[in-house]
């Protein structure tokens, strides 16, 4: 239930329709912002930013100062969970993340957990929340078990998540044990973020699109439902956004079976179709193509209008369909915010 003091984004997550829609952008902090690049260079690297709660708080607030977003997303990374489970994590310059040892057999029993890594993140949440305007919603997040497992098994990002998919078929028991462990750590982690001040949380399932329907049921829907039900018991009033990127037609089952309060839509989902197919009144988030934001001008305006029109009677949070791209012009983000603040 919404309460009068709920900020707009939180009110929408609880089922209210707002016009104009509240907005935040996935990866709204990051390398397209000069002030981010400057602080990253000063601190020496990405993890140095993440584990320094003053720096991480500052980076979280940077896009809010510039653009006046309705949501502040904690500055961290989904791979902090495998790091806390005991894998070594590095981010090389200009490279993606590396986790070692890679768990190609799914066996995590030899890893020594480092829960202190997660405690550092809670500090950031508390600092951001204390600094936030009460009209802005503080969002926590974690990766979904399937997406986290793809990185833990391969040791890095991969094109088609083949190693994790192979392991899931070859040794479903070992893979299930890994997923169960990630579920437990993720529930603790999200609960810790909520206790520290997060008002809603998002589960990023970036690689949900690589699974066949039966595997999707087992490795995306079931563990997500498990996390949602455990979090609901602990924090019944904190909304959970599920973002199963690439789920396509499997989105309907995801929305119906996981128990998430809201679904994030990637840019390949037709908003008109999503509105027809999702339960009446279920809040949605998305789904501007990040490349339309790079284009700006008429292309941006047309895309924004289409999305807003499709969701004109459903609770809707405006966002991208995936993270903001590195070469996005900062003034196009301003252009987007201006467009959103005008009536449809
Ligand atoms: O400064 C740098 O060089 C690092 C770039 C960067 C940033 C800014 C990475 C490395 N992570 C982040 C921050 C981040 N990551 C946030 C912060 C909050 C925000 O502003 O939105 C969030 C929510 C994430 C989530 C994340 N990390 C996801 C899920 C969303 C998605 O993009 O699909 C994934 C898959 C990651 C892993 C990751 N972290 C970074 C990279 C380059 C990657 C992808 C690696 C790969 O698959 O190869």
């Amino acid at each position: 239930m919404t309460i009068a003091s709920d900020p707009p984004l939180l009110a929408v997550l609880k089922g209210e329709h707002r016009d104009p829609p509240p907005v935040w952008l996935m990866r709204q902090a990051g390398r397209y912002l000069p002030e981010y690049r400057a602080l990253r260079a000063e601190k020496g690297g990405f993890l140095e930013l993440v584990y320094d709660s003053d720096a991480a708080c500052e980076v979280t607030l940077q896009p809010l100062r510039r653009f006046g977003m309705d949501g502040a997303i904690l500055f961290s990374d989904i791979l902090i969970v495998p790091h806390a489970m005991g894998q070594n994590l590095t981010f090389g310059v200009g490279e993606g993340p590396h986790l070692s040892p890679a768990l190609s057999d799914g066996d995590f029993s030899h890893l020594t957990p480092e829960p202190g890594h997660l405690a550092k993140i809670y500090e950031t949440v508390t600092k951001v929340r204390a600094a936030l305007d009460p009209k802005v919603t503080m969002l926590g997040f974690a990766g979904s078990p399937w997406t986290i497992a793809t990185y833990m098994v391969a040791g890095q990002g991969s094109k088609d998540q083949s190693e994790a998919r192979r392991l899931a078929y070859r040794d479903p028991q070992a893979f299930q044990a890994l997923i169960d462990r990630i579920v437990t750590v993720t529930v603790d982690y999200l609960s810790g973020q909520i206790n520290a001040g997060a008002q809603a949380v998002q589960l990023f399932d970036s690689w949900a699109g690589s699974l066949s329907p039966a595997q999707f049921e087992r490795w995306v829907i079931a563990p997500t439902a498990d996390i949602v039900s455990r979090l609901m018991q602990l924090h019944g009033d904190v909304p959970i956004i599920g973002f199963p990127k690439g789920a396509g037609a499997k989105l309907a089952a995801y929305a119906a079976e996981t128990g998430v309060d809201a679904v994030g839509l990637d840019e390949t989902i037709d908003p008109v179709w999503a509105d027809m197919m999702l339960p009446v009144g279920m809040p949605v988030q998305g789904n501007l193509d990040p490349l339309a934001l790079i284009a700006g001008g008429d292309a941006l305006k047309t895309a924004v209008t289409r999305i807003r029109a499709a969701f004109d009677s459903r609770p809707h949070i405006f966002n991208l369909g995936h993270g903001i791209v590195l070469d996005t012009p900062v003034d196009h983000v301003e252009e987007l915010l201006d467009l959103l603040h005008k009536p449809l």
Side-chain angles (χ1 to χ4, degrees):
M1 233 193 14
T2 48
I3 49 174
S5 58
D6 281 342
L9 196 159
L10 190 58
V12 171
L13 284 174
K14 292 183 179 178
E16 273 185 33
H17 177 263
R18 291 285 172 100
D19 190 22
V23 55
W24 69 281
L25 303 179
M26 289 187 277
R27 294 277 179 102
Q28 63 191 21
R31 285 179 295 176
Y32 76 109
L33 289 179
E35 58 271 36
Y36 171 84
R37 293 196 298 269
L39 192 59
R40 189 189 194 281
E42 186 192 317
K43 292 287 165 187
F46 177 70
L47 282 182
E48 285 75 8
L49 278 181
V50 166
Y51 288 127
D52 174 336
S53 60
D54 287 323
C57 173
E58 166 59 23
V59 170
T60 305
L61 297 173
Q62 285 175 346
L64 303 178
R65 285 192 203 112
R66 258 188 197 265
F67 311 116
M69 306 287 186
D70 293 286
I73 177 104
L74 163 70
F75 186 78
S76 178
D77 195 80
I78 62 167
L79 299 178
I80 298 307
V81 162
H83 201 203
M85 287 172 69
Q87 271 182 311
N88 186 39
L89 173 63
T90 56
F91 284 86
V93 180
E95 283 175 43
H98 285 273
L99 288 163
S100 59
L103 304 185
S104 46
D105 56 0
D107 181 11
F108 57 88
S109 59
H110 55 286
L111 299 180
T112 309
E114 302 256 16
H117 290 322
L118 302 181
K120 284 269 169 216
I121 309 298
Y122 307 147
E123 256 178 53
T124 306
V125 177
T126 302
K127 287 182 181 174
V128 175
R129 182 71 193 278
L132 274 190
D133 181 321
K135 291 198 204 69
V136 178
T137 301
M138 174 74 213
L139 302 165
F141 75 91
S144 289
W146 161 249
T147 288
I148 294 296
T150 67
Y151 286 97
M152 293 186 80
V153 169
Q156 58 190 11
S158 58
K159 219 170 169 201
D160 56 6
Q161 297 75 54
S162 167
E163 290 190 50
R165 287 162 59 208
R166 284 166 197 254
L167 176 64
Y169 281 118
R170 190 172 72 237
D171 192 346
Q173 261 181 314
F175 197 70
Q176 185 73 58
L178 176 61
I179 291 283
D180 290 347
R181 180 72 198 136
I182 299 169
V183 166
T184 301
V185 177
T186 302
V187 170
D188 281 354
Y189 182 42
L190 291 174
S191 181
Q193 292 180 34
I194 292 165
N195 289 333
Q199 295 160 290
V201 294
Q202 173 155 323
L203 281 167
F204 285 89
D205 216 339
S206 305
W207 302 121
S210 61
L211 292 172
S212 67
Q215 297 293 90
F216 184 89
E217 282 283 336
R218 180 158 184 190
W219 307 120
V220 170
I221 291 185
T224 302
D226 198 4
I227 291 176
V228 171
S229 78
R230 292 204 222 173
L231 273 180
M232 290 272 285
Q233 280 174 16
L234 296 167
H235 310 277
D237 57 340
V238 175
I240 303 168
I241 309 164
F243 177 46
K245 184 174 179 302
K250 298 193 280 298
L251 197 67
Y254 181 94
E257 295 170 28
T258 57
V260 294
D261 298 278
V263 285
L265 309 174
D266 68 63
E267 69 274 16
T268 68
I269 300 277
D270 182 342
V272 175
W273 175 80
D275 187 53
M276 270 170 12
M277 196 236 3
L278 290 170
V280 173
M282 183 180 213
V284 292
Q285 176 175 279
N287 69 341
L288 180 70
D289 188 337
L291 301 188
L293 183 57
I294 291 186
D298 283 346
L300 176 62
K301 202 169 170 185
T302 308
V304 169
T305 305
R306 189 167 190 279
I307 294 166
R308 284 183 71 182
F311 298 131
D312 67 351
S313 57
R314 174 185 288 276
H316 174 221
I317 295 162
F318 199 94
N319 205 321
L320 298 172
H322 195 198
I324 202 163
V325 179
L326 177 63
D327 60 341
T328 303
V330 172
D331 57 347
H332 288 194
V333 180
E334 285 160 8
E335 194 181 324
L336 169 64
L337 272 281
D338 285 347
L339 279 174
L340 289 173
H341 291 143
K342 287 187 188 131
L344 189 61

